Amino acid sequence: MSDTRDRSLTGPTHIRVVLERVRRHAGIRHELLAHRTGVGVDFLVGARFPPRRFILRYARACGADAQNLLKVWEDEQARLSAEPDRRSGEHPPSGRP
């Protein structure tokens, strides 16, 4: 399984799109949300895959359901871990000898 914590991704990930929608629905500006979650604005709008503990802080700051956000996060982490590493050209084993 590949590690997605520090993986820089091209384009927004699904979790980032969902988090942005939650932020907008809560009516919270990036600066206030950054303060409430303890990260910089650049992290909020960046392309890095967020850690699990950040999702919990984000949900609390926006008044969102943490379990739903964690489910989206877990699904995407599993999908990204199963994808071949685009930078190295590696592919997951095919199961054939």
Side-chain angles (χ1 to χ4, degrees):
M1 182 186 310
S2 72
D3 188 2
T4 58
R5 287 178 294 177
D6 293 325
R7 183 185 275 188
S8 183
L9 305 167
T10 58
T13 58
H14 181 67
I15 188 67
R16 289 290 185 178
V17 172
V18 170
L19 292 175
E20 180 62 15
R21 287 181 182 168
V22 167
R23 182 194 66 79
R24 287 183 183 173
H25 183 72
I28 300 174
R29 293 179 358 165
H30 283 114
E31 294 80 10
L32 179 58
L33 186 56
H35 175 74
R36 288 182 179 177
T37 57
V39 300
V41 173
D42 56 334
F43 182 82
L44 290 177
V45 298
R48 290 184 55 197
F49 190 80
R52 185 179 192 277
R53 67 183 175 276
F54 172 76
I55 299 301
L56 296 171
R57 291 191 315 249
Y58 197 100
R60 193 174 318 120
C62 292
D65 184 333
Q67 294 304 313
N68 284 337
L69 287 180
L70 283 174
K71 179 63 176 152
V72 173
W73 181 87
E74 290 166 356
D75 289 348
E76 183 155 4
Q77 183 184 43
R79 182 183 61 79
L80 290 172
S81 294
E83 286 182 359
D85 188 338
R86 289 171 261 187
R87 292 169 294 172
S88 69
E90 294 177 15
H91 297 283
S94 65
R96 289 186 240 161

